[in-house]
Amino acid sequence: MEVSSESKSWRDELASLVEDTGIRFNGESIGDALTVTDSSEAAEEAEAESLKEQIKGFAKAWGEMVVELGRGCRDVVQQTVLTEDSYIVKKTRGSLTEVSERLRFLNEYLPEDRDPVHVWPVILFVFVVALAVLNVNNNQDSPLSIVKKVSIHPPSADRILLPDGRYIAYHEIGVPANQSRFSLIIPHSFLSSRLAGIPGIRMSLLEEFGVRLISFDLPGFGESDPHPNRNLNSSALDMSHLADFLGVKGKFWVLGYSSGALHAWAALKYIPDKVAGAVMFAPLINPYDASMTKEEMSRTWVNWTRRKKMLYYLARRFPKFLGYFYRQTFLSGKHGRIDKWLSLSLGKKDKDLLEKLTFEEIWHRDVEESIRQGNIKPFVEEAILQVSNWGFSLTDLQIQNKCLKKSIFPWLQFIYGPPECELTGFLGPIHIWQGMDDMVVPPSMTDYVARILPNAILHRLPEEGHFSYFFLCDECHSKIFSTLFGPPQGPLETVDNTLTENNDLEESAQAVSSATE
């Protein structure tokens, strides 16, 4: 039986893909089953090998296409962009020619058989790669690569229930309420908590001056409940309720450090009858305040980092984008340096202070407490408060003599007698301490406050920064208390009511027995 040419060609092709085993196919019989199986396996191996060769060939062809594409792009650029009539060539020809003339002497160090046009790009590429490798190695070998993770501690704060149903957490140190000569309430700054207070202050100093120091968590920070519609007025009311609950006798002093000064200013505005005086350290004001002069505004912005300027702009225009930056820094679950987390520029004394282990421990613990709720909203709210309308102006705190007119027409004023006048504004003392080397809250802001509030007492601190006078400085704290409260007088003396009652009972019993006799 004859085999068709098509069948023969198929068998010949199959036979050519496998080794010569001596087996021949004809149209009448297939042969032994074992022989057919061996031939099929050989065909599969040959097919697999051909697939690998196809992939290799495809990859080689793809590489050649990429090379040709690159050459084509180069030719297009040379024929369009780099021609004599090209706009780019006309604009850059003079500058490039001048630079090439100045750097031509470097070609003397190249091999004579090498074209500088080809050699210098290779040298530049190798140089960039080397720098990248060195940078990676330095980052891996640096001790700063060890990252400390944030620890969330168990709740430990004392809390009070406010009239609106919220709880507010507070921290109290110093002399007891019945022995305190002075009560000092402290609203904390951004990325801080009630634990900050006056960092590093000695208990013996508080007892020496008879000071009761009370700090509290702002809404949403630490262990305080968030406020649905927080503003500076609500901050002042929270301080008022806190003082009433804790039994503060008479008026209290308020202390504002950095951005915590916003809430201290609010207390002077909304609850002036409860505030004896204000203590400000590098007080922050709205950097966009329209009442600032051009010189004050330029001096304020000049030393800030670009990132800090951008964060202020976002807080003012696009506050929703702040969440991204906060999650990358202090809400990332890792600790970092305060200047990196808050994008701060620092002077020499501040940089030296940041290197101290005690400062790092206080900073880390304070941050852990501040972010314990993991909620980004209070931080965005605080950033917005810093750059938005406060609801009042510092000019409202000026001491002014306002007179009430009794008549519509001035010429009838003599009929009603002299007008009734009264002093308005905040009448208590305002002390401001400002480091002259502070680049976080620059001295220009304090100059603005001194211009608006001429009755404020300004203490300029040469060579001091933003943290150096307020943190971990026993001598500084002692000078501050002496300035505010005068010479130390110790805590108030209290009378033991139990002994008094017992003496009264004994005296009355003696009187009864003598009357009976």
Side-chain angles (χ1 to χ4, degrees):
M1 179 180 180
E2 294 185 358
V3 181
S4 65
S5 60
E6 182 178 358
S7 299
K8 289 182 180 179
S9 63
W10 178 84
R11 292 189 178 90
D12 293 340
E13 183 178 358
L14 179 60
S16 65
L17 296 177
V18 298
E19 296 180 357
D20 187 5
T21 58
I23 301 174
R24 295 293 183 268
F25 294 96
N26 52 40
E28 298 177 355
S29 63
I30 298 178
D32 188 43
L34 181 60
T35 304
V36 174
T37 303
D38 294 340
S39 300
S40 300
E41 292 178 355
E44 290 178 359
E45 292 179 359
E47 184 178 357
E49 292 178 358
S50 63
L51 181 60
K52 293 180 181 179
E53 292 177 357
Q54 290 178 9
I55 294 175
K56 186 183 297 184
F58 175 77
K60 183 177 180 181
W62 183 83
E64 293 176 352
M65 290 176 60
V66 171
V67 172
E68 291 297 328
L69 179 61
R71 291 175 179 174
C73 294
R74 181 195 61 185
D75 295 340
V76 171
V77 172
Q78 290 178 347
Q79 296 174 12
T80 57
V81 179
L82 302 181
T83 60
E84 294 293 331
D85 299 333
S86 172
Y87 175 79
I88 297 178
V89 172
K90 290 180 180 180
K91 289 294 183 181
T92 59
R93 179 184 300 167
S95 302
L96 293 176
T97 302
E98 182 179 356
V99 172
S100 61
E101 288 294 334
R102 293 184 178 182
L103 300 179
R104 188 177 296 276
F105 72 95
L106 295 175
N107 294 334
E108 298 177 359
Y109 299 95
L110 299 178
E112 297 180 356
D113 57 342
R114 299 295 182 182
D115 186 1
V117 176
H118 296 146
V119 173
W120 285 116
V122 175
I123 294 176
L124 179 61
F125 176 76
V126 173
F127 178 74
V128 171
V129 172
L131 284 181
V133 172
L134 290 175
N135 186 37
V136 171
N137 291 335
N138 288 337
N139 290 337
Q140 292 177 350
D141 298 337
S142 175
L144 296 178
S145 60
I146 302 176
V147 179
K148 183 179 179 181
K149 294 185 178 181
V150 171
S151 299
I152 303 301
H153 303 265
S156 60
D158 295 321
R159 304 203 304 171
I160 66 169
L161 181 63
L162 298 176
D164 60 1
R166 291 181 296 114
Y167 280 94
I168 185 172
Y170 69 94
H171 181 62
E172 182 179 0
I173 60 175
V175 299
N178 59 345
Q179 295 181 335
S180 63
R181 292 184 181 273
F182 309 98
S183 296
L184 191 59
I185 295 183
I186 305 178
H188 62 78
S189 58
F190 188 87
L191 194 55
S192 186
S193 71
R194 69 185 185 280
L195 299 182
I198 302 178
I201 193 167
R202 292 183 292 109
M203 288 293 298
S204 59
L205 183 64
L206 297 174
E207 294 174 357
E208 184 179 351
F209 283 87
V211 176
R212 181 189 186 193
L213 194 150
I214 304 168
S215 54
F216 67 99
D217 289 329
L218 294 174
F221 292 81
E223 296 186 39
S224 289
D225 293 339
H227 192 293
N229 299 300
R230 184 160 71 99
N231 53 33
L232 293 181
N233 188 6
S234 65
S235 294
L237 295 179
D238 287 350
M239 277 185 268
S240 177
H241 293 311
L242 180 63
D244 293 340
F245 182 88
L246 296 180
V248 174
K249 298 177 182 179
K251 296 183 178 182
F252 58 85
W253 286 73
V254 62
L255 186 151
Y257 167 68
S258 190
S259 61
L262 274 66
H263 309 280
W265 293 126
L268 304 187
K269 167 61 180 177
Y270 294 113
I271 53 172
D273 295 339
K274 291 192 173 185
V275 180
V279 191
M280 303 289 187
F281 294 91
L284 181 71
I285 62 170
N286 186 349
Y288 294 96
D289 197 317
S291 59
M292 295 179 69
T293 64
K294 291 184 178 180
E295 181 183 359
E296 291 169 346
M297 189 165 290
S298 62
R299 288 169 53 204
T300 296
W301 288 84
V302 65
N303 289 323
W304 284 344
T305 62
R306 293 182 179 178
R307 184 183 179 91
K308 184 178 179 68
K309 295 176 182 178
M310 181 184 65
L311 291 176
Y312 272 138
Y313 176 78
L314 291 178
R316 187 172 175 84
R317 300 296 183 185
F318 308 101
K320 292 184 179 180
F321 290 98
L322 289 175
Y324 170 78
F325 295 96
Y326 293 165
R327 291 189 183 95
Q328 299 300 316
T329 53
F330 53 83
L331 288 175
S332 64
K334 302 175 183 177
H335 277 301
R337 286 171 56 95
I338 188 171
D339 53 338
K340 301 298 182 183
W341 262 201
L342 299 179
S343 306
L344 306 180
S345 302
L346 299 179
K348 183 180 183 305
K349 274 200 169 183
D350 283 340
K351 290 180 180 178
D352 294 340
L353 181 63
L354 261 63
E355 299 300 327
K356 294 184 178 181
L357 181 60
T358 307
F359 179 91
E360 182 180 351
E361 291 176 351
I362 292 176
W363 156 248
H364 285 177
R365 182 65 182 91
D366 196 24
V367 170
E368 289 173 345
E369 190 63 26
S370 180
I371 65 174
R372 66 177 299 118
Q373 299 187 32
N375 187 4
I376 202 171
K377 184 180 178 181
F379 295 97
V380 175
E381 290 175 344
E382 193 71 10
I384 295 174
L385 284 176
Q386 295 177 12
V387 297
S388 60
N389 184 2
W390 293 356
F392 65 95
S393 173
L394 289 184
T395 56
D396 298 338
L397 305 179
Q398 290 180 352
I399 299 178
Q400 300 176 1
N401 192 11
K402 288 190 176 181
C403 300
L404 299 176
K405 295 181 179 180
K406 295 181 179 181
S407 174
I408 300 176
F409 303 101
W411 56 273
L412 292 176
Q413 187 66 46
F414 70 94
I415 300 177
Y416 297 95
E420 296 180 359
C421 300
E422 62 177 357
L423 292 177
T424 59
F426 182 70
L427 305 180
I430 301 176
H431 288 268
I432 302 176
W433 276 267
Q434 176 65 52
M436 302 310 293
D437 197 24
D438 189 345
M439 291 186 287
V440 180
V441 178
S444 56
M445 284 192 169
T446 306
D447 294 339
Y448 164 77
V449 175
R451 179 172 62 84
I452 297 298
L453 302 175
N455 293 324
I457 304 170
L458 179 58
H459 307 272
R460 301 181 187 274
L461 307 172
E463 299 181 359
E464 296 289 349
H466 189 69
F467 305 99
S468 58
Y469 200 81
F470 187 64
F471 280 68
L472 305 174
C473 182
D474 293 340
E475 182 181 357
C476 306
H477 299 160
S478 180
K479 289 181 179 179
I480 292 167
F481 279 13
S482 297
T483 302
L484 297 175
F485 310 128
Q489 303 179 38
L492 293 174
E493 295 182 1
T494 58
V495 180
D496 193 335
N497 295 329
T498 304
L499 295 178
T500 304
E501 292 176 357
N502 292 336
N503 292 334
D504 293 341
L505 290 175
E506 291 177 0
E507 292 177 358
S508 61
Q510 292 176 0
V512 170
S513 61
S514 61
T516 304
E517 293 174 355

